[in-house]
Amino acid sequence: MKKLQACMAGLILSLLFCFTALAGQFHALEDDRVIFLPQLVLANADTQMTAFEDDLFDEYEDEAQQAQMVADPLYYFNYAMYGVNDFLYFYAFKPLAQGYKFVVPTVARHGIKNFFHNLLFPVRFVNCLLQGKGQAAGEEFSSFFVNSTIGILGFNDFAQTHMGLEPHKEDLGQTLATYHIGDGFYLVLPVLGPSTLRDTVGRVGDMFGNPVRYVSPWELAWGLRSLDSINKTSFRIGDYEALKAAAVDPYVAIRNAYIQNRRSLIEK
Amino acid sequence: MNTRHPLASLLITCFIAVTFLLSFTATGAAQDPDWSRQAESSLKSMVDEVLVIIKDPELAKDPKSHEKALYDKAFDIFDFQTFSMLALGPKYRKFTDHQREEFIRYFSKLISQTYFPKLAEQDITNLTVDYVKNTPMKVRRKIYRTDILTELVRKDLEVPITYRMIRKNNQPWRVYDIKIEGVSMAANYREQYRQQISSTPDEIIAQLKEKVTL
C-alpha cells in the first residue's frame, strides 16, 4: 500500500513538474504562442515587473562592486582642482580654442590633430607590445609608416581613411591596469583634468615616449604642447558644457564618466 | 523494500529526460539571434527617423519647435521607465507611483535635451551611423535585451555609441540606456544619486525640474 502511495505521489509530482516546466517553456517561446495562457500572463504582469526590477538592481549592484566606484580620499583637493579647471576652461581654454577655431580652417585643424596623433606613435606601439597585443602593435606600426610617408609627416591619416586601420588608444595607465594594478584613487590634476593615481603614473611614464619632450629649446616644446591642446579643445567645445548641463552633480558626473570611459578603454 | 516500483522509476526517468530536453531547447532559444536582429533593425529605423527630423530644414529654422519635435519622437525611442529605474537605482523603490511619473516626465526631457544635440552637432550632412556589434543578453522573464554598438561618424571624428535595447511584454523595442564612449548615462546618474544619500524623492524631482529647459 505504501508503495502505491509513494508511486502516486511521485506521479503527481512529476506531472506537476512537467507542467510547470512546459509552462515556463511556453513563456520562453515567442510571445504570440502563449495565447492559451493569457490570464496567467496578465496576473503576472505586475509581479513580473517587480521581478524585473530585482534583476536590474542585482545586475548593477554587481557592476557597481567591480567597476563603477573609485575611492576619493583627496575629495577636497580634487574638488578645488575641479573648480580651477572649470574656471580655466571657461576663461582661458574655451575662448582661446574658439578664437583658434575661427582663424584656423577645419582642414588645417584636422591636419594638426593627425600630426600630433602620429607623433604619439611610440606610446601606443610600446603599450600595445607591453599588453601583448601583437596585431594591434603591427597595425600601429603600419599606420605610422604610411602616415609619415604617404600621409606627409602624419598630417593626413591615410591609414585610417584609405586602409581602414583604426588607431588603438593604448597608454601606460591601461597597460598597468592589464597587469592588475588598481586605480588607487581618483585624482584631479590641475590643467590636465580627471585622472587616478595609476593613470597619473602612466602619464608620467608615457611622457618619455612623446617626441615633443625631446624638442630642444624648451619654449618650442611648450609651444607645441599648447598648440596640441588648444587644437584638441577646438574639436570638443560644447562637450564639457553638455555634460555639466545634464548633470545633477557635475563633480560626481565627471568623476564617474572618467572612470567608466577608462574601464571601457582598458577592456578593449 | 528499498527498490522502487518499476513504474515510478520509469516516470522519474521520463521526467528527467523531459526536463533535460526542455532546458536544452530553452538555452537554444536564448542564443537565437533572431530577435536581436529585430532589435537592430528597429534601432536603425528609429535613428533614421531622428536623422530626418534633425536634418529637416523647415524645423531647423525654429530651434524651439525643433526641440519639441525631437522630444515627441523620444517616446517612440526610449523606454523612460526602465531608464529612470536604472538612473535612480535603489532609490527608485522609495518613489510613489505619482513621484515616479513626475521623475520620468522631467528625466525624459533632460535626456532628450542632452542626447539629441549630440547627434545634431555640426556637420549633419556628413553624419553616418555604422552598426558594429550586437550583443544579446540572456532572456529572463520574457524580457529581451541586447546591446547594440554603433559608431557615429563625422568626417574623421568617430564616437562609439552603444544603445541598450529592451523589449518587454511584446511591446516594441525601446532604448533603455545609452553608452557614449563607454560612459553609460544611466550608470552616471545612478552614481550621482547614490552620492545624495539623504535627498528625498521630492527633492530629487525638484532638482531635476530646475535642469530642464524644454
Side-chain angles (χ1 to χ4, degrees):
Chain A
M1 209 49 195
K2 255 188 183 166
K3 249 190 207 167
L4 195 71
Q5 267 177 349
C7 187
M8 285 307 283
L11 183 85
I12 290 164
L13 262 174
S14 16
L15 272 176
L16 242 150
F17 270 115
C18 277
F19 269 114
T20 42
L22 267 173
Q25 180 56 19
F26 280 114
H27 277 291
L29 285 173
E30 276 306 301
D31 300 5
D32 324 67
R33 290 182 229 172
V34 211
I35 326 156
F36 59 93
L37 286 170
Q39 296 94 333
L40 197 84
V41 173
L42 272 177
N44 277 351
D46 275 348
T47 43
Q48 186 207 3
M49 279 320 293
T50 32
F52 172 56
E53 267 175 45
D54 288 335
D55 284 354
L56 272 187
F57 291 157
D58 285 350
E59 219 172 80
Y60 63 61
E61 281 306 307
D62 288 352
E63 222 173 82
Q65 264 159 18
Q66 34 166 285
Q68 304 285 316
M69 284 179 239
V70 64
D72 193 359
L74 301 180
Y75 175 80
Y76 294 101
F77 170 79
N78 286 341
Y79 200 89
M81 283 308 125
Y82 155 75
V84 168
N85 289 342
D86 186 76
F87 180 85
L88 280 177
Y89 176 75
F90 283 108
Y91 293 95
F93 298 133
K94 191 185 172 187
L96 267 172
Q98 275 172 329
Y100 173 87
K101 193 179 176 182
F102 184 73
V103 179
V104 184
T106 313
V107 187
R109 288 191 297 128
H110 273 295
I112 291 165
K113 192 180 113 191
N114 293 337
F115 173 76
F116 280 110
H117 177 85
N118 194 50
L119 217 55
L120 276 177
F121 154 76
V123 174
R124 290 188 300 272
F125 182 70
V126 167
N127 283 299
C128 281
L129 286 183
L130 288 175
Q131 291 176 37
K133 292 175 177 165
Q135 203 195 335
E139 281 176 22
E140 276 301 324
F141 189 81
S142 325
S143 296
F144 177 69
F145 184 74
V146 168
N147 288 340
S148 306
T149 52
I150 305 173
I152 312 161
L153 292 176
F155 281 103
N156 300 294
D157 194 350
F158 190 85
Q160 193 180 357
T161 48
H162 291 84
M163 292 162 69
L165 286 171
E166 299 286 327
H168 300 274
K169 288 184 191 163
E170 300 295 354
D171 54 49
L172 194 55
Q174 292 178 55
T175 303
L176 294 174
T178 57
Y179 297 163
H180 302 289
I181 292 170
D183 279 300
F185 51 80
Y186 184 61
L187 193 59
V188 182
L189 303 171
V191 187
L192 299 172
S195 190
T196 63
L197 181 62
R198 182 198 61 215
D199 292 345
T200 307
V201 171
R203 244 193 138 107
V204 173
D206 281 337
M207 270 170 22
F208 292 96
N210 186 353
V212 174
R213 192 189 140 83
Y214 304 102
V215 168
S216 80
W218 63 270
E219 292 93 339
L220 182 61
W222 278 102
L224 285 171
R225 276 191 198 113
S226 320
L227 175 64
D228 183 20
S229 70
I230 293 297
N231 189 64
K232 262 186 199 145
T233 316
S234 76
F235 285 99
R236 314 220 77 178
I237 296 171
D239 282 9
Y240 178 66
E241 290 89 324
L243 186 65
K244 249 186 102 176
V248 181
D249 180 344
Y251 174 81
V252 177
I254 289 165
R255 185 177 69 194
N256 179 265
Y258 176 77
I259 297 298
Q260 280 200 55
N261 177 254
R262 291 297 290 175
R263 289 295 141 91
S264 78
L265 288 176
I266 290 161
E267 263 173 39
K268 270 180 207 161
Chain B
M1 280 308 262
N2 282 338
T3 50
R4 280 197 207 97
H5 194 276
L7 193 64
S9 339
L10 186 73
L11 269 170
I12 289 164
T13 335
C14 274
F15 166 65
I16 290 168
V18 166
T19 22
F20 255 85
L21 256 169
L22 286 178
S23 60
F24 271 117
T25 48
T27 46
Q31 280 156 2
D32 193 347
D34 247 16
W35 54 267
S36 67
R37 259 183 259 129
Q38 228 176 58
E40 193 170 323
S41 62
S42 48
L43 177 67
K44 273 180 192 161
S45 57
M46 284 174 197
V47 171
D48 289 344
E49 280 164 36
V50 169
L51 288 181
V52 166
I53 300 177
I54 286 177
K55 290 178 184 178
D56 191 334
E58 280 305 305
L59 281 168
K61 282 175 192 158
D62 180 20
K64 262 277 168 258
S65 64
H66 206 182
E67 261 184 17
K68 182 76 175 61
L70 285 168
Y71 176 60
D72 291 341
K73 191 77 212 155
F75 283 90
D76 299 337
I77 297 169
F78 294 103
D79 171 1
F80 282 118
Q81 199 208 349
T82 310
F83 207 152
S84 305
M85 248 160 76
L86 275 168
L88 279 170
K91 277 202 156 90
Y92 183 79
R93 302 225 197 244
K94 289 186 194 145
F95 281 57
T96 63
D97 282 349
H98 177 69
Q99 283 168 332
R100 284 175 188 182
E101 266 170 41
E102 285 274 285
F103 182 85
I104 290 168
R105 186 195 305 160
Y106 297 117
F107 188 68
S108 58
K109 287 184 176 175
L110 189 64
I111 293 300
S112 87
Q113 85 189 31
T114 315
Y115 167 68
F116 290 127
K118 185 96 194 160
L119 263 187
E121 261 170 34
Q122 302 163 26
D123 312 307
I124 324 165
T125 38
N126 289 321
L127 193 83
T128 51
V129 180
D130 295 339
Y131 294 81
V132 185
K133 210 170 117 194
N134 193 335
T135 324
M137 292 170 88
K138 224 172 128 189
V139 184
R140 283 170 84 180
R141 303 179 212 283
K142 282 210 309 161
I143 287 167
Y144 296 78
R145 283 191 288 161
T146 184
D147 292 352
I148 299 173
L149 174 64
T150 69
E151 218 149 57
L152 191 69
V153 188
R154 287 193 296 265
K155 284 195 177 161
D156 54 354
L157 219 61
E158 286 167 7
V159 187
I161 299 181
T162 303
Y163 294 90
R164 310 196 75 188
M165 310 275 293
I166 187 168
R167 193 184 72 179
K168 42 188 184 191
N169 301 329
N170 229 4
Q171 287 163 1
W173 283 98
R174 292 282 182 261
V175 176
Y176 70 97
D177 188 10
I178 307 177
K179 277 186 182 175
I180 301 172
E181 295 190 58
V183 181
S184 144
M185 286 178 94
N188 196 268
Y189 281 105
R190 194 158 67 237
E191 178 67 11
Q192 293 173 56
Y193 286 124
R194 200 178 63 82
Q195 300 283 323
Q196 304 187 341
I197 301 156
S198 55
S199 10
T200 63
D202 283 330
E203 280 167 7
I204 287 173
I205 291 164
Q207 192 184 32
L208 203 58
K209 204 173 162 183
E210 261 175 42
K211 285 264 152 199
V212 172
T213 54
L214 255 169

